[in-house]
Amino acid sequence: MNNDALAPSQRVRQIQPSPTLRVDTRAKELKAEGVDIISLGAGEPDYPAPLHVKEAAIKAVHDDISHYTAVNGFPELRRAIAAKLERDNNLKYSPDEILVSVGGKHALYNAFMALVNPGDEVIIPAPYWVSYPEQVRLAEGVPVFVETDPAAGFRLDPQALADAVTPRTKGLVLNSPNNPTGAVYSPEDLEAIAEVARAHDLWVISDEIYERLIYDGLQQVSIATFPGMWERTIVINGFSKAYALTGWRLGYAAGPQPIIKAMATLQGHVTSNAASLVQAAGIAALEGPQEPIDAMVADYAGRRQLVLSKLASMPGITCQRPGGAFYVFPDVSGLMGKTLAGRTIDSSNTLAEILLEEARVAVVPGEGFGAPGYIRISYATSREELTEALGRIAAALARIE
C-alpha cells in the first residue's frame, strides 16, 4: 500500500490533540518517573464523588443494573434532569427533549454533528475551550473566532457577534461560566446576544457545565430562558464538575425534540447509551443532598482568592478576577522577550515548558484556547499544593533576566 493509503483520514489530520489533556498526561508521566510535579492543568475537581452517589452506583452493581438502556437514557434519569432544569434554571423540557450522553463533551459532539453541514460557520468567542473548534471541524464546519475584551471581562460583545455573521453562519457557542476565563454572562449580556441570534436565525449551543461553580453573588442564567430562544438553543450540561464525577462520563443535552431525536439517532450508532451504573448514580446525584456542592464552591472561592493574591505579587503578570468555574487566566505577555534558565520566553507555550522544567509546575498555555500570551491555572487542587506551586512559580520568575 502507498503512504496515502496508510495515512489517517483527512478529517482526523485537520484537528489537534487537546492541549489540556496533553499537559495533564505529561505531568502524570513525570510523576510516574518520580519527579515532584504539581499539576495546575486539568479541569478536574480534586473532591471525591459524594458518598450517596457512590452508594447508588454500588447498589446498581448489586441490583444487576448492567444491561443496555434506551439510547437516550433511563426515563427516570431524564425525568430527574427535567425536574432539575425547571427547578434550577427555569427551563421546561419533557423527558423526550433530553438526551443522556457519555459526558458533556459527547453531548456537544452530538450537537455539532446533528446541526452543522459542510461549510456551515459556527461562531466561537475567544478565549474558548479547546474542543469547540475541533468538534466543529469534525462536523466539516468552519469555526469563526470572535475576540473578547479582557477589560469587559472576556464577555462576547453583541455588536462583534453581529459583525461576524455571514449567510453561512449556523450558530454560536456560548459558555458561561467560561472555560478558561471564568467569565459569567449577566442577564443583560444574554438578552443582547439573544437579540442577535433571533435577528439572524442562529442556533445557540449553550455549554453550562460550570453553572454551579459561581461566586461573588453572580447569577447563572441560561440564554434559553429568553423569549424566542428556547426553540433555537441546545443546553449542554453534565455531572463532571459539580459532582466531581469527571471519570464517570455522564452528561446531557436538552433542546427541541426534533434536534434531540436526531442527536439520539447519531448516538445510537456511536456509543448507544451512557453506562447504566453511572446513570443510576446520576439519579442519586440530582435527587440527593446538594450541600456537598455548596461546601465545595465555598472552598473554591477561597482558593481563587489565594491564587489571585499570589499572582498579584508576580511582576509581568496581570489577572482578571473570574466569576465562575475553577480557573484563573493570567495575562503573561509582560514576560515575553525575557530570559529564564537560558531560554527566551517567546510564547506562553515556551513559558509553560519552562515552568514545568524549572518550577515543576504544570499549567496550560493560552495558545490552545485561542489566547496567546495567557496561561490557564486550575485551582481545583488543595490549598497546600496551590501555595507550594505558586511559590515555585514565583521563585522561578525571580530568576528572569
Side-chain angles (χ1 to χ4, degrees), residues 79-131:
R79 285 195 293 268
I81 291 169
K84 176 261 181 244
L85 289 167
E86 184 169 8
R87 178 184 67 243
D88 297 345
N89 307 101
N90 196 31
L91 290 169
K92 294 198 66 147
Y93 294 97
S94 71
D96 287 343
E97 293 166 332
I98 293 166
L99 172 64
V100 177
S101 300
V102 187
K105 185 181 288 189
H106 185 205
L108 282 163
Y109 181 75
N110 285 336
F112 289 125
M113 292 298 287
L115 281 178
V116 177
N117 292 307
D120 283 351
E121 295 175 352
V122 178
I123 295 172
I124 303 174
Y128 47 78
W129 181 51
V130 297
S131 291

Side-chain angles (χ1 to χ4, degrees), residues 177-388:
N178 178 266
N179 173 12
T181 67
V184 176
Y185 284 78
S186 70
E188 293 75 20
D189 296 326
L190 295 173
E191 173 54 45
I193 291 169
E195 184 176 348
V196 177
R198 291 188 296 262
H200 294 278
D201 200 21
L202 304 181
W203 279 96
V204 177
I205 298 176
S206 182
D207 184 353
E208 302 178 13
I209 191 73
Y210 292 97
E211 63 158 348
R212 300 291 295 272
L213 308 179
I214 198 163
Y215 317 106
D216 301 333
L218 296 175
Q219 181 184 9
Q220 167 62 19
V221 177
S222 175
I223 195 168
T225 60
F226 290 85
M229 293 307 297
W230 185 97
E231 56 268 37
R232 64 178 67 255
T233 301
I234 302 174
V235 173
I236 305 292
N237 210 323
F239 296 76
S240 292
K241 311 303 181 180
Y243 296 98
L245 297 175
T246 50
W248 295 41
R249 310 313 301 136
L250 188 64
Y252 58 89
Q257 199 271 340
I259 194 67
I260 293 297
K261 183 179 179 181
M263 291 165 62
T265 299
L266 171 68
Q267 181 170 299
H269 291 289
V270 180
T271 63
S272 298
N273 56 275
S276 55
L277 303 175
V278 177
Q279 290 190 55
I283 297 169
L286 292 174
E287 296 182 346
Q290 303 299 297
E291 289 80 8
I293 298 176
D294 298 334
M296 182 174 67
V297 172
D299 189 24
Y300 283 152
R303 298 182 194 184
R304 178 191 58 156
Q305 187 54 46
L306 169 66
V307 174
L308 289 171
S309 64
K310 297 289 185 183
L311 290 174
S313 65
M314 297 182 194
I317 294 179
T318 59
C319 191
Q320 296 282 329
R321 183 180 182 87
F326 41 55
Y327 312 106
V328 294
F329 199 58
D331 181 345
V332 295
S333 58
L335 300 175
M336 298 300 128
K338 299 184 183 298
T339 301
L340 177 57
R343 295 182 62 181
T344 299
I345 303 172
D346 55 7
S347 67
S348 53
N349 269 322
T350 301
L351 177 62
E353 291 172 4
I354 294 172
L355 291 178
L356 188 60
E357 296 165 4
E358 299 296 320
R360 303 184 308 284
V361 176
V363 300
V364 185
E367 280 83 354
F369 303 105
Y374 288 80
I375 59 174
R376 192 190 75 175
I377 293 174
S378 169
Y379 50 86
T381 190
S382 71
R383 296 183 190 222
E384 293 75 19
E385 285 211 323
L386 286 171
T387 300
E388 173 64 21

